[in-house]
């Protein structure tokens, strides 16, 4: 398997630190708003990377944080007159809902920055002891020039960086020893959340959280560290400096970065105001379409969002789900596998091989999807009315397996109609009246599986969609 490594600017063969295992960390969102579809790109892309590793038999330990303490969260909390923890908790919940609707699996662990402050204080302490950090008036800075390999990820030269920084004075940080130094810990300001630390009552800088959470949940060395390409500098460069200075070992072996999701060829971002939230898109499309759209481009290519491309993704997805449904229906056909069908199955395996070849080449999902379309076309032409159930079913399994790697759900969601729900509730009431509680519970569970939640209130039974 080949992975493009930002560190070496080359595609490299993947060799895990520990055989059969992948330790992977993906920088997650800052939670002060609903996520936009630019934020969704790394979620979908790296979830697909994880799924492919699992398909290949690896055990993946996948960690992705939520940044739940940050200037923007505090600002939002102050505007609303609530606690910043309340704002963060609200948007973490919403983000998890969006992830589920995009079929992005929960990480093995989703650490929260605010729950890892002790670890951050400990790492900062070690960095000070080792001479890589210093305190000035309650603020702790990283002594960038002491980390000799600084710039190795972003391929920046320290002197070029220095001249870039000269004109860029950050107010309140004039006390730094060097313009390149960055904040590890800062004292609280009025109205901000804070934690006690040896240097001041305050809060951590942004970069330290990922170094600490990655170490805690994955160990000092990891296989893959990932995120959007805007994180290469300074965030990931600073993470490397902190982790390697503290642990004395290479931090991550492979650094993967997705390109931007653009709109009118400009990066979609909250600060530019040119964004759609995942929730906006959910009003018009099933979020499977969004997922399929994202994977229709290679993750390192910029992707321009447009209604045309979304509609093309919708049609493409429908071709796949329609074919999958037809294969499933034909799977109940009678008859044995014929010699011709046997040959066709062998031929169909070529599309699976093509799919794998694309994924092995730095997760080229665009080419992998082309292979899926070829399989669909092959299935549509070879599964005739006379096809045997065994043949149709074998193709159905093949298609399903590829869709599972992409995280595409092939079963068309059938929404329950209100009438159907009411009828089942009435049946449940009747069962309860007859003291058949097992049946009543079974009906409740059946509805729950279909996303309908029942609540028994004094006024009777009410229901809502999950
Ligand atoms: P943030 O909340 O801004 O820290 O972003 C969370 C993740 O989304 C990071 O990995 C970012 O690099 C990524 N991201 C933000 N905007 C975009 C975009 N327009 N396209 C692709 N990735 C993005
Ligand atoms: Zn990070």
């Amino acid at each position: 398997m080949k992975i493009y490594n930002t560190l070496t600017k080359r595609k490299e063969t993947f060799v895990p630190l520990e055989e059969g295992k992948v330790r992977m960390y993906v920088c997650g969102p800052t939670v002060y708003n609903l996520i936009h579809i630019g934020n969704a790109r790394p979620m979908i892309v790296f979830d697909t990377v994880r799924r492919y590793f699992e398909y290949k038999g690896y055990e993946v330990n996948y960690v992705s944080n939520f940044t739940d303490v940050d200037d923007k969260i505090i600002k939002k909390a102050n505007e609303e007159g609530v606690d910043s923890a309340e704002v963060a908790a609200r948007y973490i919940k919403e983000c998890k809902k969006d992830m589920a609707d995009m079929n992005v699996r929960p990480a093995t662990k989703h650490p929260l920055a605010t729950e890892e402050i002790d670890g951050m204080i400990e790492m900062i302490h070690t960095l000070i002891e080792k001479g890589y950090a210093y305190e000035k008036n309650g603020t702790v800075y990283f002594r960038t020039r002491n980390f000799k390999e600084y710039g190795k990820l972003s391929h920046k030269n320290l002197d070029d960086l220095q001249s870039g920084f000269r004109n860029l004075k950050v107010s309140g940080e004039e006390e730094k020893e060097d313009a390149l130094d960055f904040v590890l810990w800062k004292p609280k300001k009025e109205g901000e959340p804070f934690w006690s630390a040896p240097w001041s009552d305050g809060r951590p800088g942004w970069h330290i959280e990922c170094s600490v959470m990655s170490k805690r949940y994955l160990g000092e060395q990891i296989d893959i560290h990932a995120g959007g390409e805007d994180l290469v500098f300074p965030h990931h460069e600073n993470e490397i400096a902190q982790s390697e200075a503290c642990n004395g070992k290479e931090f991550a072996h492979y650094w993967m970065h997705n390109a931007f999701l653009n709109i009118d060829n400009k990066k979609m971002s909250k600060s530019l105001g040119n964004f759609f939230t995942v929730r906006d898109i959910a009003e018009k499309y099933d979020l499977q379409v969004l997922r399929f759209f994202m994977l229709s481009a290679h993750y390192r290519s910029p992707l321009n969002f447009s209604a045309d491309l979304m509609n093309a993704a919708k049609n493409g997805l429908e071709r796949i789900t329609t074919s999958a449904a037809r294969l499933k229906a034909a799977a109940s056909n009678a008859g044995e596998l014929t010699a011709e069908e046997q040959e066709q199955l062998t031929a169909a395996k070529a599309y699976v091989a093509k799919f794998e070849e694309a994924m092995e080449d730095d997760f080229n999902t665009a080419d992998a999807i082309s292979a899926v379309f070829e399989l669909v076309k092959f299935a549509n032409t070879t599964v005739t009315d006379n096809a045997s159930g065994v043949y149709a079913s074998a193709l159905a399994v093949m298609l399903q397996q590829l869709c599972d790697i992409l995280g595409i759900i092939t079963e068309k969601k059938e929404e329950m109609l209100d009438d159907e729900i009411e009828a089942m509730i009435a049946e449940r009431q009747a069962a309860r009246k007859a003291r058949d509680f097992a049946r009543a519970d079974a009906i409740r569970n059946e509805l729950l599986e279909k996303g309908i939640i029942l609540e028994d209130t004094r006024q009777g039974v009410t229901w809502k969609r999950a």
Side-chain angles (χ1 to χ4, degrees):
M1 192 186 304
K2 295 250 195 271
I3 299 183
Y4 181 87
N5 190 352
T6 309
L7 199 60
T8 56
K9 288 181 151 179
R10 279 191 287 116
K11 278 187 198 168
E12 293 173 12
T13 301
F14 178 72
V15 183
L17 287 162
E18 194 179 336
E19 209 181 315
K21 296 199 172 159
V22 180
R23 291 178 224 165
M24 185 167 177
Y25 186 96
V26 182
C27 291
T30 306
V31 280
Y32 66 101
N33 218 327
L34 291 173
I35 57 162
H36 63 69
I37 57 176
N39 301 135
R41 190 170 189 192
M43 290 175 183
I44 292 170
V45 160
F46 298 116
D47 176 63
T48 306
V49 167
R50 173 194 194 177
R51 286 168 184 265
Y52 188 69
F53 274 121
E54 287 180 349
Y55 167 76
K56 296 295 283 184
Y58 287 96
E59 185 187 309
V60 185
N61 192 348
Y62 189 99
V63 176
S64 190
N65 65 305
F66 285 111
T67 298
D68 62 344
V69 56
D70 166 89
D71 289 345
K72 289 175 247 152
I73 302 174
I74 296 168
K75 183 166 172 269
K76 175 98 174 185
N78 289 341
E79 280 164 12
E80 289 187 12
V82 299
D83 211 42
S84 64
E86 189 180 321
V87 170
R90 183 195 314 150
Y91 291 112
I92 287 171
K93 191 163 162 242
E94 299 293 3
C95 179
K96 286 186 174 171
K97 180 180 183 319
D98 286 339
M99 284 168 67
D101 289 346
M102 296 186 294
N103 205 20
V104 169
R105 285 169 43 206
T108 319
K109 173 78 190 169
H110 282 289
L112 306 182
T114 55
E115 290 178 0
E116 308 288 340
I117 306 283
D118 287 351
M120 296 188 222
I121 292 174
E122 196 183 312
M123 188 177 278
I124 296 170
H125 192 76
T126 308
L127 289 171
I128 294 176
E129 270 189 346
K130 290 191 168 186
Y132 284 107
Y134 58 94
E135 186 250 352
K136 281 264 167 83
N137 303 320
T139 302
V140 184
Y141 296 97
F142 187 88
R143 193 175 271 129
T144 302
R145 279 188 185 273
N146 272 19
F147 182 69
K148 295 295 170 231
E149 292 178 84
Y150 194 81
K152 69 176 173 180
L153 180 72
S154 51
H155 307 280
K156 288 183 193 290
N157 165 305
L158 279 190
D159 295 324
D160 292 349
L161 279 174
Q162 181 83 60
S163 57
F165 273 115
R166 206 159 288 150
N167 310 322
L168 216 143
K169 278 209 184 108
V170 181
S171 73
E173 293 185 10
E174 296 85 357
E175 64 200 0
K176 295 197 282 197
E177 287 177 2
D178 189 295
L180 292 175
D181 297 349
F182 59 89
V183 171
L184 298 174
W185 185 266
K186 55 186 163 194
K188 68 173 180 186
K189 288 194 200 122
E190 192 57 35
E192 288 186 353
F194 66 90
W195 292 261
S196 291
W199 318 288
S200 59
D201 282 351
R203 61 186 166 105
W206 170 35
H207 317 297
I208 193 76
E209 71 178 75
C210 291
S211 285
V212 167
M213 295 190 265
S214 176
K215 179 173 175 173
R216 168 142 188 223
Y217 297 102
L218 297 169
E220 290 182 345
Q221 287 191 293
I222 67 171
D223 294 294
I224 299 174
H225 196 115
E229 66 183 7
D230 54 333
L231 299 187
V232 174
F233 188 86
H235 185 53
H236 287 164
E237 195 69 63
N238 291 356
E239 277 190 44
I240 291 179
Q242 297 163 158
S243 294
E244 298 192 0
C246 174
N247 306 325
K249 303 187 172 137
E250 184 186 49
F251 177 30
H253 208 115
Y254 305 90
W255 286 84
M256 295 179 73
H257 294 99
N258 64 273
F260 288 143
L261 177 74
N262 293 331
I263 189 155
D264 299 326
N265 297 310
K266 272 196 231 77
K267 180 196 170 190
M268 185 176 286
S269 78
K270 284 175 196 158
S271 52
L272 292 174
N274 59 347
F275 65 90
F276 290 111
T277 62
V278 169
R279 234 29 94 75
D280 292 333
I281 299 303
E283 281 177 18
K284 284 201 184 150
Y285 301 91
D286 184 328
L287 290 178
Q288 288 294 303
V289 176
L290 181 67
R291 181 167 185 125
F292 196 66
F293 158 76
M294 294 282 186
L295 296 178
S296 66
H298 185 260
Y299 75 92
R300 284 190 294 112
S301 305
L303 177 58
N304 209 38
F305 181 81
S306 73
D308 281 354
L309 284 179
M310 281 295 283
N311 288 331
K314 185 166 182 255
N315 294 337
L317 187 61
E318 224 157 73
R319 246 163 68 211
I320 296 171
T321 52
T322 306
S323 178
R326 194 170 158 262
L327 289 177
K328 268 181 208 146
S332 54
N333 285 0
E336 296 290 307
L337 192 71
T338 65
E340 190 193 0
E341 286 177 341
Q342 180 70 59
E343 267 174 33
Q344 281 166 337
L345 275 186
T346 310
K349 286 195 183 120
Y351 303 116
V352 176
K354 207 166 166 185
F355 179 99
E356 287 185 10
E357 203 180 304
M359 293 299 277
E360 302 272 322
D361 182 16
D362 192 29
F363 305 96
N364 191 335
T365 53
D367 286 358
I369 287 174
S370 301
V372 173
F373 280 132
E374 286 180 54
L375 176 61
V376 162
K377 193 168 164 206
F378 183 82
N380 290 351
T381 46
T382 60
V383 178
T384 56
D385 289 347
N386 310 326
S388 76
V390 187
Y391 179 62
S393 153
L395 284 182
V397 169
M398 233 179 246
L399 180 59
Q400 183 65 49
Q401 219 170 20
L402 303 189
C403 288
D404 283 347
I405 296 168
L406 298 173
I408 296 298
I409 298 169
T410 53
E411 281 193 6
K412 286 189 176 165
K413 260 197 242 156
E414 282 178 31
E415 283 249 312
M416 281 192 86
L417 301 172
D418 289 8
D419 285 354
E420 292 175 293
I421 299 167
E422 305 285 354
M424 282 182 76
I425 292 175
E427 196 192 330
R428 177 168 168 267
Q429 294 298 82
R432 285 171 69 160
K433 229 178 183 170
R435 308 192 67 76
D436 184 355
F437 297 113
R439 175 71 192 135
D441 283 350
I443 294 174
R444 170 191 280 272
N445 290 339
E446 204 177 312
L447 283 166
L448 194 62
E449 263 170 36
K450 292 180 173 163
I452 310 298
I453 300 167
L454 299 189
E455 266 165 43
D456 294 308
T457 69
R458 259 190 235 150
Q459 284 73 35
V461 182
T462 62
W463 62 270
K464 61 178 183 199
R465 294 182 198 273

